[in-house]
């Protein structure tokens, strides 16, 4: 049977969703603050993203992450995440993307079960929290037992191409029961190599930075005058075309 490779683009706004639709992406991961690893987007951003996707566009999967930093969350943060999951699904999200670790850096089974249940049957993707666990293959097995749909992983490396051996091990361990999606630093060169490793999906952000001052950075983002990132249509098409070849 021929394997179908899915494409997922990380976007931050409705414009990114529209580019993903042009490219023919299967899904988008909607987030804000990708420079911080991604945070939960606002309700209005999600509403407009779902509208931009329409009935025939990419599925909108929402990143649920209450703050930057690590993935060990206090009770209040988990309650916020549960409510964000419910509201995302109610607003039309096709699924959610999240991850929680315990104090020892292992997958927090209790927290993940809460988030899974909050999704009410919508698919849940374990995000790159898996990449900071000591044993990604064991973490994958836990995610599989929880009934999560897929994992987004770089194979424990900063860039997915550098974690390709672990990605191959994860594909083998998944046994087709949970999807393996490779992401982090994916570009035109690495995308086809990662696809050849047998993953189920490729995740990339295809973004570039812009400034409001003609390209000269005057200060930092914290000053309110720094640059910001947008989805780059040309990069997205280039990665898609590289995979097609």
């Amino acid at each position: 049977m021929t394997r179908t490779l899915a494409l997922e683009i990380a976007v931050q706004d409705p414009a990114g969703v529209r580019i993903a639709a042009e490219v023919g992406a299967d899904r988008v991961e909607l987030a804000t603050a990708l420079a911080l690893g991604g945070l939960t987007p606002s309700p209005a951003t999600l509403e407009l993203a779902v509208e931009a996707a329409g009935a025939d566009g990419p599925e909108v999967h929402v990143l649920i992450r209450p703050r930057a930093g690590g993935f060990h969350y206090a009770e209040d943060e988990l309650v916020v995440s549960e409510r964000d999951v419910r509201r995302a699904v109610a607003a039309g999200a096709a699924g959610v993307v999240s991850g929680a670790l315990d104090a020892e850096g292992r997958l927090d089974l209790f927290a993940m079960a809460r988030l899974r249940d909050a999704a009410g049957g919508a698919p849940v993707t374990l995000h790159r929290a898996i990449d900071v666990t000591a044993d990604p293959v064991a973490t994958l097995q836990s995610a599989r037992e929880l009934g999560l749909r897929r994992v987004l992983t770089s194979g424990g490396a900063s860039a997915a191409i550098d974690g390709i051996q672990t990605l191959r091990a994860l594909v083998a361990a998944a046994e087709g029961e949970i999807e393996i999606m490779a992401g982090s630093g994916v570009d035109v060169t690495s995308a086809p190599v990662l696809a050849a490793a047998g993953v189920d999906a490729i995740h990339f952000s295809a973004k570039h930075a812009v400034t409001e001052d003609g390209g000269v950075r005057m200060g930092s983002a914290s000053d309110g005058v720094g640059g910001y990132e947008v989805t780059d249509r040309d990069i997205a098409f280039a990665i898609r075309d590289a995979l097609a070849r």
Side-chain angles (χ1 to χ4, degrees):
M1 182 173 62
T2 302
R3 181 175 60 94
T4 300
L5 182 73
L7 298 185
E8 179 177 288
I9 304 181
V11 304
Q12 301 181 92
D13 50 35
V17 175
R18 287 189 285 271
I19 291 172
E22 283 189 75
V23 170
D26 300 277
R27 295 185 297 270
V28 297
E29 180 193 80
L30 182 68
T32 189
L34 285 180
L36 299 177
L39 299 174
T40 306
S42 73
T45 300
L46 171 56
E47 180 181 341
L48 289 171
V50 170
E51 290 177 8
D56 300 321
E59 292 184 352
V60 178
H61 291 244
V62 179
L63 178 65
I64 304 297
R65 188 177 178 219
R67 58 159 170 79
F71 303 108
H72 178 50
Y73 298 117
E75 176 62 19
D76 283 347
E77 293 169 324
L78 285 173
V79 172
V80 167
S81 296
E82 283 181 294
R83 294 189 183 187
D84 279 337
V85 167
R86 292 191 188 100
R87 291 184 178 185
V89 173
V96 296
V97 184
S98 196
L101 305 181
D102 64 20
E104 285 72 45
R106 297 173 302 223
L107 191 65
D108 189 330
L109 302 180
F110 178 66
M112 291 306 302
R114 288 171 61 176
L115 297 175
R116 176 204 63 200
D117 293 346
V124 177
T125 299
L126 173 62
H127 65 41
R128 292 191 57 214
I130 188 175
D131 291 324
V132 295
T133 61
D135 188 343
V137 174
T139 303
L140 174 72
Q141 182 59 31
S142 295
R144 179 178 170 182
E145 291 170 357
L146 281 167
L148 306 189
R149 177 68 59 85
R150 66 182 62 86
V151 296
L152 168 60
T153 173
S154 65
S158 295
I161 193 65
D162 297 322
I164 195 164
Q165 296 298 345
T166 300
L167 287 168
R168 291 189 179 110
L170 290 168
V171 169
E175 298 181 323
E177 296 296 323
I178 183 170
E179 297 174 19
I180 306 299
M181 178 163 57
S184 186
V186 175
D187 57 19
V188 170
T189 302
S190 63
V193 181
L194 293 167
V199 298
D200 299 286
I202 297 291
H203 169 103
F204 56 93
S205 57
K207 63 184 185 295
H208 73 265
V210 298
T211 62
E212 294 181 350
D213 51 21
V216 179
R217 187 178 296 276
M218 304 289 289
S220 67
S222 61
D223 300 323
V225 292
Y228 60 97
E229 295 174 332
V230 298
T231 306
D232 188 304
R233 183 179 183 276
D234 292 340
I235 295 174
F237 269 93
I239 293 175
R240 185 205 66 177
D241 292 346
L243 287 164
R245 291 194 295 269

